[in-house]
Amino acid sequence: MTTASDRPLTHRDPPRSPTRPKLPRAAARPVPRPPAWPPPESALSVRQVLALERVLAGEPEVVAGADHLDRPVRWVHVAEAADVGVMLSGGEMVLTTGVLLAGDEDKQADYIRSLHRAEAAAVVLGLGRAFPRPPEAMRRAAERCGLPLVVLHRPFPFAELTEEVQSRLVRRKYASVSLSETVRTALTALITAGAPLQALLDEIAQHAGCPVVLTNLAHRVLATAGERPAVDDVLRDWERIARQAWGHRPGRPGTGAGGEGDGWIHAELGGRGQRWGRLVLCGHRGDAATGRLLADRAAEALVLHRLLGGAAGSWEEQSAQSLLTDLAGGAVPARQLLPRARAAGLPVGRRTFVPLVVRGGDGAALDRLLRLLGLPGLVAQLGDGHVAVLLSLAPDQDADALTAHFAARLRAEPGQRRTVVAAAGPRTAWDDVPAGLREARHVADALAGSARALDLPAVVRLKDVHLRGLVRLLRDDPHVQSFAERELDGLLGGADAELLNVLRTYLATGRNKSRTAQLHHVSRPALYRRLEAIQTRLGVDLDDFEQAASVHIALLAHDAQQP
């Protein structure tokens, strides 16, 4: 047992009367200090209530549930009824003197358990004649339930605390409504003025005070906003973060790190019966209700912006254009753009980069051609009739042959005969890409109008793309993304990479078990066990042609989304 003079305090105590007797105190924890950063006015937790000057005058002491002081307080009730729990709806801070509980430890424990079942935020007990010291039965029950139990060591008018908290809650509600209208008005004004997507995201990031990320249904980053160092930190490991936070199925909230409890708040984007993507507030430091409100208002504005913008692929095009424009312009160092390129789905590790500039070409046509050929890359309209293309090839691919093939196929397209394709030399270092893009543009300008430009060598078209080519062409379609994620959900965890590789080989060899076992250097019984595990995880029968074809198409679509 400790005395009042022994009790450590983290808040300044009011001056003690020298004649006031020191009451024995139960072993307890002091009120923890609030976080170093100031929470927004809209947040009001148990911790903040206990830090109010009026409450401090009553010498509050947390005797149980000190790890749960960040619970939000929705309302404050003064209640002496022993069965007050049945009258609560959750989130209340209950103030009591416990006059009806004195002398009955079973009733005291039942009282705490009823408040816990009603999801009360905390219970504040004023010490006095009923309880001159913290009741041990209530303390033990509160500790087991994780319900904050706070005792007041000095007489305290409960009406003052009720008035103070209720007025703050009303102000919080008003602040939320005001924030909602402010954000809605600002974003609507930008949309009316014809502002680009990036302007809307910048406005959202300013209100949120944290990085903002816009993705498609396959978690590919389309655009970002916020302070650049913070955005880069988010993008460095985006694929893992996104899957851990929201699971493998689009729209399914995750329970791991990065969930909304850590300030990661997302809102789905969609309209006209389909979903397109997701808006993510990364590390919002305010309370969850305010973050959710902000995310919802932002999502409404982005949906309106997309519907008014027309083309379904406009966000993908704007994402590529922003990245390549920054690369070619040189205003932003290439190293700072690397996280954006990786999160956008461009392979950047141990790759050979081929910068191209097409004069007189159409950006959408070039993008479709890249997808059909299965060449990873980005396309962006640079203006003045120039289209930038950045190819990212594996080290063992022949960059010159693939570039020639791409140019020949482009010029064979209707209306593209007079296009000029200029390529810089292959770059193995990402930092050299901006210079390569500038070099390619210079070459395109020099060849424009030259008859020699029409004599570019033709290379035969890529053969045998068939279904793989079609899937690559449609890989940004939300329906295809959702289908692939749903069909392969059971195998998309990082620990299941080996099973996914076995499935890929098995389908690619026409379901030839002998060949699959040989390629993976395993015995046939071992392969059978892996195939059985795959079928169990996916809930399919791979011996059934239709189910196997469905999984194969989903796997092709999944692979088309990967670097």
Side-chain angles (χ1 to χ4, degrees):
M1 304 289 284
T2 60
T3 65
S5 60
D6 299 325
R7 180 172 55 91
L9 295 175
T10 56
H11 298 289
R12 178 175 56 83
D13 278 358
R16 296 182 185 274
S17 168
T19 61
R20 180 186 175 213
K22 298 179 179 179
L23 298 176
R25 310 278 176 88
R29 305 176 189 177
V31 177
R33 188 181 302 276
W37 52 272
E41 184 65 25
S42 59
L44 191 61
S45 64
V46 174
R47 189 189 306 278
Q48 289 174 286
V49 172
L50 299 182
L52 297 176
E53 289 296 329
R54 291 186 180 184
V55 181
L56 291 175
E59 295 186 19
E61 183 178 16
V62 179
V63 297
D67 295 333
H68 303 275
L69 297 182
D70 291 318
R71 288 180 173 179
V73 176
R74 187 182 61 82
W75 209 243
V76 175
H77 281 303
V78 179
E80 298 294 350
D83 58 348
V84 65
V86 300
M87 297 180 283
L88 304 181
S89 57
E92 295 90 351
M93 175 178 279
V94 178
L95 312 180
T96 183
T97 62
V99 64
L100 300 180
L101 304 173
D104 190 334
E105 292 190 353
D106 290 339
K107 187 179 292 186
Q108 295 166 19
D110 288 342
Y111 178 78
I112 293 296
R113 287 192 288 266
S114 69
L115 293 181
H116 170 65
R117 288 192 297 269
E119 299 183 351
V123 57
V124 178
L125 175 66
L127 299 182
R129 281 186 294 180
F131 291 103
R133 60 184 58 85
E136 186 63 20
M138 294 180 70
R139 188 196 67 78
R140 288 196 305 266
E143 194 66 51
R144 283 194 298 268
C145 294
L147 176 68
L149 174 61
V150 183
V151 297
L152 300 175
H153 290 280
R154 285 194 172 189
F156 183 85
F158 283 169
E160 292 186 10
L161 175 57
T162 303
E163 178 185 4
E164 175 77 11
V165 175
Q166 311 300 47
S167 64
R168 286 175 177 263
L169 289 172
V170 170
R171 290 200 299 270
R172 181 180 74 161
K173 186 65 175 178
Y174 173 79
S176 296
V177 173
S178 178
L179 171 66
S180 175
E181 289 307 309
T182 299
V183 173
R184 190 198 302 273
T185 300
L187 296 179
T188 300
L190 289 173
I191 294 173
T192 304
L197 172 65
Q198 189 61 50
L200 271 69
L201 293 178
D202 290 339
E203 183 73 20
I204 296 167
Q206 182 177 355
H207 286 285
C210 65
V212 173
V213 176
L214 179 67
T215 77
N216 64 15
L217 294 182
H219 310 303
R220 293 296 176 219
V221 174
L222 304 179
T224 63
E227 295 184 2
R228 182 48 50 190
V231 172
D232 290 346
D233 286 342
V234 169
L235 296 185
R236 282 191 183 95
D237 199 16
W238 176 257
E239 178 73 12
R240 181 190 63 80
I241 291 174
R243 290 196 178 278
Q244 187 174 1
W246 300 289
H248 306 307
R249 294 176 187 160
R252 183 181 67 183
T255 57
E260 294 201 3
D262 299 318
W264 285 63
I265 301 174
H266 72 276
E268 301 295 329
L269 306 177
R272 295 175 178 170
Q274 66 173 332
R275 287 181 293 115
W276 307 320
R278 180 180 291 115
L279 174 72
V280 187
L281 307 185
C282 306
H284 179 65
R285 306 193 73 179
D287 68 299
T290 301
R292 165 55 52 199
L293 178 66
L294 177 59
D296 288 343
R297 293 295 172 266
E300 292 172 3
L302 292 177
V303 169
L304 179 61
H305 181 271
R306 176 159 177 149
L307 291 176
L308 294 177
S314 60
W315 285 353
E316 286 80 359
E317 294 168 5
Q318 290 182 44
S319 174
Q321 180 172 344
S322 173
L323 177 58
L324 288 190
T325 299
D326 288 344
L327 270 173
V332 181
R335 184 58 51 182
Q336 293 184 18
L337 298 174
L338 189 59
R340 284 174 57 188
R342 183 183 294 111
L346 184 72
V348 294
R350 299 181 60 188
R351 307 292 288 187
T352 298
F353 302 100
V354 182
L356 309 175
V357 171
V358 180
R359 179 162 184 164
D362 175 71
L366 289 170
D367 189 59
R368 287 194 299 271
L369 183 57
L370 275 183
R371 298 179 188 281
L372 182 61
L373 296 176
L375 296 176
L378 297 175
V379 178
Q381 204 82 37
L382 297 179
D384 299 328
H386 290 82
V387 180
V389 179
L390 179 62
L391 301 180
S392 176
L393 307 176
D396 59 348
Q397 290 180 294
D398 188 333
D400 292 335
L402 288 175
T403 301
H405 181 56
F406 170 76
R409 286 294 307 276
L410 174 63
R411 293 181 62 195
E413 293 286 316
Q416 302 293 322
R417 185 169 179 269
R418 300 191 64 84
T419 56
V420 176
V421 178
R427 261 61 174 176
T428 57
W430 175 259
D431 289 340
D432 296 335
V433 170
L437 286 169
R438 291 191 290 269
E439 175 187 334
R441 179 158 186 169
H442 174 75
V443 173
D445 288 337
L447 292 177
S450 171
R452 188 166 175 261
L454 300 178
D455 299 326
L456 291 174
V459 181
V460 294
R461 65 179 293 168
L462 186 66
K463 296 184 180 294
D464 204 25
V465 293
H466 303 300
L467 179 60
R468 187 178 301 273
L470 177 62
V471 171
R472 285 183 176 275
L473 185 64
L474 299 176
R475 67 180 182 179
D476 284 332
D477 186 288
H479 297 293
V480 174
Q481 295 170 358
S482 182
F483 169 78
E485 295 284 308
R486 182 177 64 253
E487 289 288 301
L488 299 175
D489 181 50
L491 291 179
L492 290 182
D496 299 317
E498 176 59 27
L499 291 179
L500 197 65
N501 286 333
V502 170
L503 175 63
R504 185 179 290 108
T505 304
Y506 179 64
L507 295 175
T509 59
R511 296 184 290 172
N512 187 319
K513 293 184 176 67
S514 298
R515 181 60 175 156
T516 301
Q518 180 184 6
L519 290 174
H520 284 270
H521 307 289
V522 297
S523 65
R524 288 183 62 115
L527 176 66
Y528 293 156
R529 288 193 295 271
R530 296 184 188 184
L531 291 176
E532 184 64 28
I534 291 171
Q535 293 180 106
T536 301
R537 297 282 187 89
L538 299 183
V540 299
D541 179 7
L542 292 178
D543 290 330
D544 180 88
F545 175 80
E546 184 174 344
Q547 295 184 52
S550 179
V551 171
H552 196 181
I553 294 172
L555 185 58
L556 291 176
H558 169 74
D559 288 346
Q561 291 287 336
Q562 307 308 309

